[in-house]
Amino acid sequence: MAVRKLTTPLTDEVVKGLKAGDAVAITGVIYQARDAAHKKLVALIEAGEELPFELQGAVVYYMGPSPARPGHVIGAAGPTTSGRMDAYTPLLLRHGLKGMIGKGSRSEAVRRAITQHTAVYLAATGGAGALLATHVVESEVIAYPELGAEAIARLVVEDFPAVVVNDCLGADLYELGRARFERRA
């Protein structure tokens, strides 16, 4: 399987070319943000205030980092369960978010919003945080340092590996995989 090279920020044209099951390697800036940060971002949008980063074309990584060892940019950088962000995701997609990286399936509301706003949901391999960290070349907390591991960080990544789970046409890799398995049984 060929790996699709992606550079952030993402555009509609690039997202439209991605299909569930595609392996990708992302290079550029992505943003680490989890539950508490998502709640704050939604509150800012609802209040009409400026966000700490540009959402248009952005990719957010649902990641729980561990502290960096001396000489390293970041500690383990594995994905966290994406469903915890589902309540906030449709609004962020409506305001320009184009990609999300995490693990696990998404709600029907998020899947509809992905299709409606030409976005993509990607999965990174759970349990491979040390390996994924080798693709992070810069990490800087840009908002909410008081949240610790849930702060928003600007990450520069090189060839960060992920797989398309939900594409903008409505396909879901998890459903496709189950269907293939059930046909074989």
Side-chain angles (χ1 to χ4, degrees):
M1 169 192 311
V3 175
R4 300 270 319 265
K5 301 279 189 173
L6 303 180
T7 303
T8 62
L10 299 181
T11 64
D12 283 355
E13 181 180 341
V14 168
V15 170
K16 287 176 182 176
L18 298 172
K19 304 292 177 247
D22 286 351
V24 301
I26 304 162
T27 297
V29 173
I30 64 175
Y31 297 93
Q32 166 199 316
R34 288 181 22 202
D35 322 34
H38 275 66
K39 185 175 182 179
K40 288 180 175 283
L41 291 172
V42 165
L44 289 173
I45 290 170
E46 289 173 344
E49 296 181 25
E50 189 174 329
L51 298 177
F53 65 94
E54 175 60 50
L55 269 182
Q56 195 61 48
V59 175
V60 170
Y61 183 22
Y62 308 140
M63 179 186 78
S66 63
R69 294 187 329 258
H72 293 267
V73 172
I74 198 166
T80 193
T81 305
S82 302
R84 294 196 323 258
M85 276 51 77
D86 281 0
Y88 311 109
T89 300
L91 181 66
L92 296 176
L93 291 170
R94 191 164 52 244
H95 283 83
L97 182 66
K98 282 292 168 199
M100 300 147 290
I101 307 167
K103 67 178 182 181
S105 59
R106 304 310 297 267
S107 70
E108 187 58 37
V110 170
R111 291 172 56 190
R112 277 193 309 272
I114 287 169
T115 301
Q116 183 179 8
H117 301 291
T118 315
V120 64
Y121 169 57
L122 308 156
T125 303
L131 175 63
L132 293 169
T134 65
H135 295 276
V136 179
V137 296
E138 292 179 33
S139 175
E140 174 190 9
V141 172
I142 61 167
Y144 315 124
E146 70 278 8
L147 296 178
E150 293 219 18
I152 296 176
R154 178 183 182 276
L155 307 175
V156 177
V157 296
E158 288 182 4
D159 291 327
F160 187 91
V163 175
V164 176
V165 173
N166 296 114
D167 65 33
C168 68
L169 299 176
D172 182 302
L173 180 61
Y174 299 138
E175 289 178 0
L176 295 171
R178 281 191 292 273
R180 267 188 236 127
F181 178 76
E182 288 169 358
R183 280 196 300 267
R184 290 184 193 166

